[in-house]
Structure formats: C-alpha cells, structure tokens
Amino acid sequence: MHPSLIPSFCGKGFYGLHVHEAALAYGVKVTGATVHFVSEECDGGPIIAQKAVEESHTEAAVNGSILSAMQDILVQAAGDTWTLTTILAATASSNAA
C-alpha cells in the first residue's frame, strides 16, 4: 500500500508523512491511496486499486483521510484479488481436464 495516487509522490524517500508533506508543498487538490503488487522497483508494481480524496490543509487531516481511503481499498483489493485467484484456479482446473 502507498499513501498517494501512484505515480505521484512515490519511490525512494516517499513514505509515511513525507508523502503528505510533498503533496501539500506541491499544492495538489486531490491525493489518495494505492494498493499495488510488490516488484523490484520501489512502488513500481502493477496497481490493484486506488482511491482519491480531496487534499486538506494540514498533514494530520491528510493523514486521516488517506488512512480511511487505505482501509477502504485494502478490503476491496483483497476481495478482488481473492476473486481473481478463484477464477484463475477454476480456469486452470478446467483447462487441465
């Protein structure tokens, strides 16, 4: 999970409140959270789900909004990934028969 809408504010050095500081300093109007697969590249894996939230004026407010968005999309992504895994397993099983 990443506390921004990848590809914005990600990569080396962008973690925790550093992400929110950068977003506030840049003046973005919308930020969010991303669930993505892990790859060798920092924050470079395929995106599974994203959720946008309006930018607030303080790091604490942004952090609260992002944490809520992260909880929402983590549940969504887990369900979607489980469903996809089930479909792929069923497909592989029927192809083997």
Side-chain angles (χ1 to χ4, degrees):
M1 294 193 76
H2 188 76
S4 79
L5 296 173
I6 291 177
S8 298
F9 309 108
C10 64
K12 187 175 181 179
F14 285 102
Y15 59 90
L17 292 178
H18 298 294
V19 175
H20 309 321
E21 291 167 356
L24 287 169
Y26 194 81
V28 298
K29 303 291 184 214
V30 175
T31 189
T34 302
V35 175
H36 62 92
F37 287 105
V38 175
S39 70
E40 291 181 14
E41 180 184 351
C42 182
D43 296 327
I47 293 170
I48 301 168
Q50 291 185 307
K51 183 172 183 176
V53 298
E54 288 187 31
E55 184 65 81
S56 301
H57 298 291
T58 67
E59 288 174 29
V62 172
N63 191 44
S65 297
I66 298 296
L67 287 175
S68 178
M70 290 173 91
Q71 291 169 350
D72 292 346
I73 63 172
L74 181 58
V75 170
Q76 173 196 339
D80 290 348
T81 302
W82 190 86
T83 301
L84 179 60
T85 302
T86 303
I87 292 167
L88 290 173
T91 302
S93 178
S94 65
N95 286 342

